[in-house]
Amino acid sequence: MDSLLYYLIPMMLVVGAVAFMEWFAAWSHEHIMHGWGWGWHQSHHEPHDAALEKNDLYAVVFAAFAIALYFGAAWLWPLWWIAIGITIYGVLYFFMHDGLVHQRWPFKYVPRKGYLKRVYQAHRLHHAVKGRDGCVSFGFVYAESAAKLRKKLQDDRRGLPTSAREDRDQRPSGH
């Protein structure tokens, strides 16, 4: 039994940290990045040719937190496994969001079916709205179906006064 727990507890910490990070990333994307942290995140919603954008500072903050946990593991061993989970989430984010959705790698791949297509479409629908208000789909690994997200966008658009719709339509498009 002890040998089972020896492997089970770290595995649960890693999987739990990855799951928590998807929740936290979606929450912080909606409430921080599209809120008071828009100053950094705005660069991500505007066209640009640069390899880096100010929004990448969020990845640096999350990486610094994971690194701090690795160092903290010298005093509290579970922190090591939590840091590994956060690191795994960072790798997933890099491949799913920066690579797959925004094509920030040297080749182009657009998924045609399945889970990857769902994530791709959901994040593209996130960028369908100009500016920070009225966006849908704030997660990076989990995504609602494109049909549900399109309905949310339509419902949101219908709820706006005409002047607000016209104002939103005049804003420059994101990438």
Side-chain angles (χ1 to χ4, degrees):
M1 183 65 171
D2 285 342
S3 63
L4 177 64
L5 291 179
Y6 181 79
Y7 295 103
L8 188 60
I9 290 172
M11 186 171 56
M12 288 172 48
L13 288 168
V14 169
V15 171
V18 171
F20 173 79
M21 282 305 297
E22 173 60 5
W23 173 84
F24 182 73
W27 180 88
S28 64
H29 186 190
E30 182 174 4
H31 298 286
I32 296 173
M33 296 175 196
H34 281 252
W36 57 265
W38 181 249
W40 283 4
H41 190 61
Q42 183 177 4
S43 67
H44 183 66
H45 283 264
E46 296 176 343
H48 61 82
D49 293 327
L52 296 175
E53 52 194 44
K54 196 182 253 187
N55 181 67
D56 293 331
L57 291 171
Y58 284 113
V60 172
V61 169
F62 288 132
F65 185 74
I67 291 166
L69 289 177
Y70 282 115
F71 282 112
W75 294 277
L76 191 61
W77 70 267
L79 296 180
W80 176 265
W81 299 107
I82 294 168
I84 287 176
I86 293 171
T87 303
I88 289 170
Y89 185 82
V91 170
L92 288 171
Y93 171 88
F94 173 75
F95 282 105
M96 301 289 287
H97 179 264
D98 289 351
L100 179 69
V101 175
H102 291 292
Q103 304 290 315
R104 290 175 75 180
W105 48 25
F107 59 90
K108 303 290 183 208
Y109 171 71
V110 177
R112 303 279 181 231
K113 60 182 179 176
Y115 166 73
L116 293 179
K117 179 179 179 182
R118 182 178 179 137
V119 170
Y120 179 85
Q121 287 179 322
H123 201 73
R124 299 307 289 176
L125 286 168
H126 173 78
H127 284 273
V129 174
K130 294 158 184 70
R132 69 180 180 178
D133 299 322
C135 292
V136 295
S137 189
F138 292 93
F140 299 104
V141 177
Y142 169 77
E144 289 183 89
S145 72
K148 283 184 182 179
L149 295 172
R150 281 190 202 97
K151 180 162 178 15
K152 283 182 181 181
L153 283 171
Q154 285 177 336
D155 291 348
D156 180 53
R157 189 168 174 81
R158 281 189 213 118
L160 287 175
T162 305
S163 60
R165 275 196 302 265
E166 290 168 359
D167 182 47
R168 185 190 319 180
D169 292 341
Q170 297 302 317
R171 295 184 208 161
S173 66
H175 67 282

